[in-house]
Amino acid sequence: MTAVPVAIGVRSVAAPAGADGALVDTHGRVHRDLRISLTDRCSLRCTYCMPEQGNEWLARTSILSTDEIVEVAEVAAGLGIRTFRLTGGEPLLRPDIVDVVRRVSRIEGADGPVEVAMTTNGITLEKHLPDLIAAGLTRLNISIDTIDRQKFADLTRRDRLDDVLSGIAAAAASDLRPLKLNAVAMRGVNDDELTDLVAFAMDVGAQLRFIEQMPLDAGHTWDRASMVTREEILAALRERWRLDPVPGRGGAPAEKWRIDGGPHEVGVIASVTAPFCGACDRLRLTADGQFRNCLFSNTEYDLSGVLRENAASAPADRAEAIAALLRSCVHGKLPGHAIDDPSFLQPARGMNAIGG
Ligand code: SAM
Ligand code: SF4
């Protein structure tokens, strides 16, 4: 292990690197996945994520350019990042989304070509999908919490279910597999249609993954009682199907179960009641250029500052400055998110501004 001095604002931090330069934290976790938020803007206003109005948007001038994103992704790939997940806000709102996918997917990582995945609300996906696939997109997660039109309009504050369904249909007709659908389970909102959502996913050849609602809404209104737990989700599904655990989860956030012996599977991401921090291999980059080592962290590592400070530096020096900041971010990662700790403080940013 070598020590790398890193300048972050006024602080100077010694950040060790793995023997092969890989991003290994002080708890031995090797980081392979970087989630890049492309914008904090969105076409929906999901209640668990954004306020209905009055959101404080990131300044447009602070949003990383495509050149900056590609430069950072190249450095990250050299440090062992294998998967880049493009997210937001709504990534399809970014006008140059196809260009971002094309340029990131061309990056050769330390272990071969990188994977470019996307999490989207599906709106405008039907229109964009052929270009995204041609540009190199390899995996897709589409969020859909309800297939009831009125509930969708209430939950997202926009009457756009048909657009999402068109996006899902386009993805189902494509070769992108596995195709995953994400649903946040909410008491009194969609907890009566959990099996319907799974049946819908099976019909379109996708895998449904339920997510426990996390304290990441911009309005800070989360409370544990309205969260539907992993156990409750499984109990509801078991009333209709036999579920057998799928072994070999690795670092994946979702635990999976085979439905009635297969081939269909369903997943649960139980970040609150069964956290998987011990195997977490993910890092995040916000749209305004802040590295984060955890969704729930209150510390950010100022990539924008590093890019500005090194604006006139040689490309190799800029790359080393970016690498040093990434290592520092990884070095500062805590063993777990501590949602259950009485001292837990919800991050100031909502999920749309962090990048889910
Ligand atoms: N707009 C895109 C979408 O909705 O798929 C990408 C960004 S969104 C922040 C990524 C994922 O985070 C979505 O699946 C969404 O359901 C999930 N999410 C947002 N807020 C959440 C919360 N408070 N708890 C759990 N999941 C949340
Ligand atoms: Fe937009 Fe995704 Fe947040 Fe919903 S969850 S408001 S679609 S960013």
Side-chain angles (χ1 to χ4, degrees):
M1 306 271 272
T2 54
V4 183
V6 182
I8 304 171
V10 293
R11 286 190 300 145
S12 186
V13 182
D20 57 354
L23 296 166
V24 187
D25 72 10
T26 57
H27 308 279
R29 294 170 294 196
V30 183
H31 292 76
R32 299 292 188 201
D33 183 313
L34 177 61
R35 307 196 164 202
I36 302 178
S37 175
L38 298 179
T39 176
D40 61 331
R41 319 268 154 159
C42 191
S43 37
L44 299 180
R45 293 288 182 276
C46 304
T47 52
Y48 49 73
C49 181
M50 292 180 75
E52 186 165 13
Q53 45 196 323
N55 195 62
E56 285 185 25
W57 304 109
L58 298 175
R60 285 190 191 273
T61 49
S62 72
I63 304 293
L64 292 182
S65 69
T66 303
D67 284 348
E68 288 170 328
I69 289 169
V70 173
E71 181 181 11
V72 173
E74 281 170 349
V75 173
L79 296 174
I81 294 293
R82 294 174 179 158
T83 302
F84 294 94
R85 177 167 293 280
L86 306 178
T87 181
E90 176 46 42
L92 294 178
L93 287 185
R94 184 146 171 146
D96 58 353
I97 180 65
V98 174
D99 201 32
V100 175
V101 171
R102 181 180 303 111
R103 293 180 60 188
V104 175
S105 68
R106 280 186 192 148
I107 296 172
E108 276 290 315
D111 310 310
V114 300
E115 261 210 310
V116 181
M118 183 183 291
T119 303
T120 169
N121 64 25
I123 292 174
T124 74
L125 181 63
E126 183 184 21
K127 179 178 93 184
H128 282 105
L129 193 60
D131 290 340
L132 292 171
I133 293 174
L137 186 76
T138 50
R139 280 193 287 141
L140 202 49
N141 288 19
I142 307 173
S143 304
I144 181 159
D145 303 317
T146 173
I147 44 176
D148 177 288
R149 184 165 180 179
Q150 188 55 51
K151 275 196 214 169
F152 185 93
D154 293 343
L155 168 62
T156 67
R157 300 162 172 139
R158 300 287 186 273
D159 186 10
R160 306 287 303 264
L161 177 63
D162 289 346
D163 296 321
V164 178
L165 294 177
S166 303
I168 292 173
S174 77
D175 292 333
L176 289 186
R177 289 294 182 279
L179 175 61
K180 295 178 182 170
L181 304 184
N182 292 352
V184 177
M186 284 160 284
R187 197 173 307 289
V189 178
N190 63 356
D191 54 345
D192 59 343
E193 58 171 323
L194 302 184
T195 54
D196 293 346
L197 281 164
V198 174
F200 168 76
M202 291 197 286
D203 271 355
V204 299
Q207 182 192 108
L208 206 285
R209 293 145 27 111
F210 290 107
I211 308 175
E212 283 182 347
Q213 188 177 349
M214 298 179 275
L216 289 168
D217 58 308
H220 292 221
T221 59
W222 180 87
D223 81 292
R224 188 171 283 268
S226 61
M227 182 193 77
V228 181
T229 65
R230 166 189 183 277
E231 288 310 313
E232 291 172 299
I233 294 165
L234 292 176
L237 302 185
R238 284 191 171 117
E239 283 184 14
R240 181 151 166 196
W241 296 293
R242 193 184 87 233
L243 300 183
D244 301 310
V246 177
R249 175 180 181 186
E255 275 175 279
K256 289 192 290 184
W257 286 266
R258 197 161 290 124
I259 299 172
D260 275 349
H264 297 291
E265 294 177 350
V266 62
V268 179
I269 301 177
S271 315
V272 181
T273 66
F276 37 87
C277 305
C280 177
D281 68 351
R282 282 168 292 286
L283 298 168
R284 291 185 152 77
L285 176 59
T286 65
D288 59 343
Q290 304 294 310
F291 282 126
R292 298 175 61 92
N293 55 30
C294 177
L295 267 179
F296 299 99
S297 170
N298 279 296
T299 306
E300 298 187 335
Y301 295 78
D302 185 11
L303 172 70
S304 280
V306 165
L307 293 175
R308 270 195 307 270
E309 281 159 27
N310 289 279
S313 305
D317 293 339
R318 270 169 74 90
E320 184 43 39
I322 296 166
L325 185 70
L326 251 179
R327 287 193 201 108
S328 180
C329 174
V330 169
H331 183 62
K333 186 156 169 162
L334 298 175
H337 59 46
I339 293 178
D340 283 322
D341 194 292
S343 64
F344 173 74
L345 271 184
Q346 181 173 338
R349 290 177 187 259
M351 186 68 138
N352 69 302
I354 294 175

